[in-house]
Amino acid sequence: MTRPLLLSALILAATAIGGGSDAWAQSNGGARALAPGVKVEVAPAPGSGSAPAAGKVDETALRYYARIGDGERMEAEIARLRALDPGWEPPKDLFAPQPAATGVDESPFWSLLSAGKVAEARAAIAEQRRKSPSWQPSDKLLQELDLAESAGRIRSASDTKRWQEVVDAAAAQPEAVACNRLDNAWRLAEAYAELKQTDRAFDTYKTIVTTCPKAKERRDTIFKASRHLSPERLRELSALGATANPATGEDYSAVRSAEAELETGRLLERLGNAKPGALSAADLSRVQGIVRDKQDADGAIALGWYFQKQKNFAEAQGWFTQANEWTPSDKAAEGLVLAYNGLGDKAQARAAAAPWKGKSSRIDQALKAVDPPRGPAGPGGGRSAPQGPSELDRALARHDFAACISIIRGTIAKSGPTAALLQQRGWCLLELKRPSEAEAAFAEAQTLAAREPAKGGASATGTAPGKAGSRSPAASGLPQTATPAQENAYGQAIARLATGDVTGLTRDLPRANLTATQRAEIRASLMATEAGRALEDKRYNDVLRLLDARKELEPEPRNLGIVRGWALYNLMRFDEAYVQFKSIDDRLSTEESREGLSTAWKTIYHDW
Amino acid sequence: MAVMEMAVTPFHRTAGRAALWAALAAATLLTSGCAGWVRDNLTQSATPWRRIQPAALPVTLPDSRDFPIVAARMRDTGTVYKTYNVALGNPTSLAGENRLTVDVQTLPDSLFGALVQPPRVFPVPLYTMETLTATTRREFPDMKVKVADIARRNRYGDYDYATAQDAENSCVLAWQLITDHKRMLPERIEAVRLEYRVCGVGSNIRALLAPFDGLTLTLPETILEVQDLGGL
């Protein structure tokens, strides 16, 4: 079940490796470096005494594992020895104490080595030699000490980004880079990649995924490689990892799914940034297939926006509908509203918005494209304008916020500003990441709204603009629909959040004219920001306190779940941190979730 | 090794014990909140941004119809850095705020401040070709970017800049590090970093750079301008 491997062939790429296969065979005994419960990095056979005579199986490591009660490693060692000598059987007196062949028990040195205390082990050996000058430590012990030191050098050079030194250290001690020291192998591959030796990086990853037997190790390797290799090479790597040298009992489907996850992420990212038609037909077809297979609502929404931007409203509507069926959300409904609006089907657009109306600012915004809150000089030409989406509606429907700004600017230049126009300008500026101007636009809208004459039905909410904000919807028994004044105040608050004005906003929030939902949303965002700051300040209990309070207002999004994981980790609540990262990673594995999971895992199992 | 013998009298023992207690007490205070450990530790990270009046900015910009000051903010990082962000008007429909950022690095005013300094809030060199490419790509997506070969000069010396253009608009990114504290900067100021990002309609790069060319630093301490140094 374990497979011999060393990456010396890669390290000494140009060198013919004399006896390389022997070295690989020697390293297979503990190819469990990532398995739970293994607390040491040093894997292969420890023991005392000298090397066994040729033809005789060396059982010292096996006896050592038996003595310390490491069942998993014992099994691995038995498998290794059987592979070396198919006729060999484990000794019956495996658990019986064995007399030390040379009169010196090496166990204390092995224990120090196992605990990562290499310098202490060397010192103890020197002290023992001073006491017993005729005694020689076993070759195996010395070899393991060398290996541990090399691994330390690789780690140290890698941590400080001295990439060439990583390669040099690995070349000096090729045995330090093996399946049972997978972290070193990853670091070597990364070093090659950083040194722009992509072919060697690829070869290193390839050796890992074709020779290390564990499916999890292969899968992790593909994720690691994704930072450095092209999609084509990753595809090749995944195909190899899923098929090459399969070990009994391992399920390599997870290796294939890793590639699919990466592929989906990559394509969806491209979808989000893509200009219309930027994705090839093949890529588009592939991402559609993946999204359908996984019933990935977020993916379907991304596809919906991709088509929406192309003004292919029918296709967009299909994907938004699909997303809403898989996982109903205001995000999916927002797309659906705008897609129906693009198709000119306002009734369907309103119907799609209905479940979220007044509950989601996203939907309330989208509805403005369906029923624009026009003033007397609105962009559509006033109430008597012909039916059908105006130029501004169409710009909003295709999320073209630059056009939104241009159209509003033109309208204002022609007919003067209205509160509704300025408010819409604020939202479009926010989308364009211009929060300071957005805040000013909302403030201006507020001022203008207060001056505009009351006009029945002038706004989508039916609130008299002149009295905006003076009426409490909750008190009047109406649903919590925001008045224009509240929408302006909400817009200003969102803009202030975007500018990082946390202190000022926290101070002003109690006096702000907001609906309860809006207030809760802003408060949740403020707490999220404060939690992030607390994490930076290393106030980990504060992080948890703020996130717990926030959770009472809104469900915790995954990015804050990651923050919670790190807070737990830094409070040394490693098990809880692991559970937290795991629950996030199980739902959707990302680089952040994997990093948290791997770090917590390594800390718990001392697997650095 | 020779050890100097010393007669241990009751007085010496008492004095020794007192010294020991004093040391212990000092150690306890230093490692507890009383010595401000938590506060000093926290002051190394940046405070949240806070709004300030444009008049409180340490910089004056020439009046500009296209690029008026929309908002001004500042924050501190430790006791050493003050960062000012001036959001400027943006007459285009492009994404991203027009802005001037001023980082002021002062010298620490205590031994502790000198020992425990926050990480520098701006890199030196301010840009490498790689970071500049990444920044211009982020700031001016889908625009044609060109890094100016020749530096320009404002009141505080030479500065570098990059331009970006599309069919309708132009943008500039200019950056400057003022470190001449022997002649230009007062003793207490270690460095001033300026970064200016502006987009405007049309293709007149000089017009875009005019506010940066004409800005005046008005830090509390005297900062001499290049022309002031001409006679030195």
Side-chain angles (χ1 to χ4, degrees), chain A residues 145-471:
Chain A
L145 281 166
D146 290 345
L147 279 173
E149 281 168 348
S150 295
R153 274 195 292 277
I154 291 173
R155 269 201 304 273
S156 156
S158 165
D159 285 344
T160 48
K161 301 188 191 311
R162 289 174 283 128
W163 305 118
Q164 188 56 50
E165 284 182 39
V166 175
V167 173
D168 294 345
Q173 187 68 273
E175 292 86 350
V177 183
C179 272
N180 55 352
R181 295 178 182 86
L182 196 55
D183 186 53
N184 294 345
W186 286 338
R187 286 170 189 266
L188 174 65
E190 184 187 17
Y192 280 136
E194 293 289 343
L195 290 166
K196 311 282 180 223
Q197 298 177 23
T198 319
D199 286 346
R200 288 189 175 180
F202 174 74
D203 287 344
T204 310
Y205 288 126
K206 185 174 148 188
T207 308
I208 298 170
V209 299
T210 53
T211 45
C212 291
K214 295 260 182 197
K216 182 182 183 306
E217 292 171 354
R218 293 188 183 189
R219 179 183 152 88
D220 288 350
T221 302
I222 287 161
F223 281 125
K224 290 266 180 195
S226 69
R227 294 176 59 188
H228 306 295
L229 300 182
S230 66
E232 291 71 31
R233 290 199 133 177
L234 279 176
R235 221 166 282 147
E236 188 183 341
L237 211 58
S238 302
L240 284 167
T243 52
N245 299 318
T248 317
E250 285 291 322
D251 177 8
Y252 294 104
S253 58
V255 182
R256 271 203 201 286
S257 72
E259 197 264 340
E261 277 174 43
L262 286 168
E263 182 76 6
T264 312
R266 205 166 35 242
L267 287 171
L268 288 176
E269 193 183 337
R270 281 179 63 197
L271 263 187
N273 303 328
K275 289 187 168 176
L279 242 64
S280 72
D283 278 347
L284 196 56
S285 163
R286 189 178 311 131
V287 76
Q288 287 176 318
I290 295 168
V291 167
R292 269 196 207 97
D293 287 350
K294 294 182 71 179
Q295 302 208 342
D296 176 357
D298 286 341
I301 291 173
L303 277 165
W305 285 120
Y306 178 76
F307 288 115
Q308 183 84 2
K309 279 186 197 165
Q310 293 188 49
K311 301 182 193 174
N312 185 347
F313 300 119
E315 193 75 15
Q317 179 256 316
W319 281 106
F320 289 129
T321 304
Q322 190 67 267
N324 215 24
E325 280 171 13
W326 287 333
T327 312
S329 71
D330 62 340
K331 272 189 189 174
E334 177 198 22
L336 201 49
V337 169
L338 294 175
Y340 276 128
N341 194 48
L343 289 166
D345 193 343
K346 292 197 177 242
Q348 283 283 11
R350 290 187 198 105
W356 301 94
K357 195 176 170 187
K359 296 177 192 162
S360 158
S361 57
R362 193 183 285 277
I363 293 298
D364 293 343
Q365 281 306 308
L367 272 173
K368 285 183 184 164
V370 183
D371 298 306
R374 296 189 181 94
R383 311 296 296 173
S384 59
Q387 288 299 305
S390 69
E391 202 187 349
L392 179 59
D393 298 342
R394 287 196 298 271
L396 292 173
R398 44 173 211 275
H399 273 207
D400 186 348
F401 302 108
C404 161
I405 297 292
S406 298
I407 293 164
I408 291 177
R409 186 183 297 131
T411 311
I412 289 176
K414 206 164 60 184
S415 327
T418 66
L421 271 180
L422 289 171
Q423 189 187 93
Q424 187 58 65
R425 181 176 143 78
W427 291 118
C428 291
L429 284 167
L430 266 180
E431 295 287 350
L432 289 170
K433 297 187 171 51
R434 290 162 59 172
S436 302
E437 291 166 89
E439 189 188 342
F442 286 119
E444 214 179 322
Q446 187 87 313
T447 312
L448 208 58
R451 274 196 256 131
E452 276 177 1
K455 210 171 174 74
S459 75
T461 57
T463 310
K467 292 283 181 189
S470 60
R471 168 175 152 193

Side-chain angles (χ1 to χ4, degrees), chain B residues 88-176:
Chain B
L88 302 170
N90 185 342
T92 74
S93 51
L94 295 171
E97 284 199 331
N98 284 349
R99 64 173 191 277
L100 170 71
T101 310
V102 183
D103 290 298
V104 182
Q105 180 184 2
T106 54
L107 286 170
D109 54 5
S110 69
L111 180 61
F112 185 77
L115 289 172
V116 186
Q117 287 197 33
R120 196 157 47 191
V121 299
F122 51 85
V124 177
L126 296 180
Y127 282 109
T128 63
M129 211 53 211
E130 288 76 19
T131 58
L132 182 61
T133 305
T135 303
T136 51
R137 199 172 288 160
R138 189 180 63 242
E139 293 282 351
F140 315 124
D142 305 325
M143 295 179 89
K144 197 175 167 191
V145 175
K146 191 167 176 283
V147 180
D149 291 330
I150 302 168
R152 282 175 71 89
R153 172 168 281 221
N154 63 9
R155 293 168 193 263
Y156 304 99
D158 292 345
Y159 69 83
D160 291 289
Y161 67 103
T163 62
Q165 288 188 305
D166 66 11
E168 294 167 20
N169 309 296
S170 303
C171 303
V172 292
L173 176 75
W175 60 95
Q176 184 170 24

Side-chain angles (χ1 to χ4, degrees), chain A residues 84 286 322 538 551:
Chain A
L84 285 176
R286 189 178 311 131
Q322 190 67 267
K538 303 185 176 65
K551 226 175 173 179

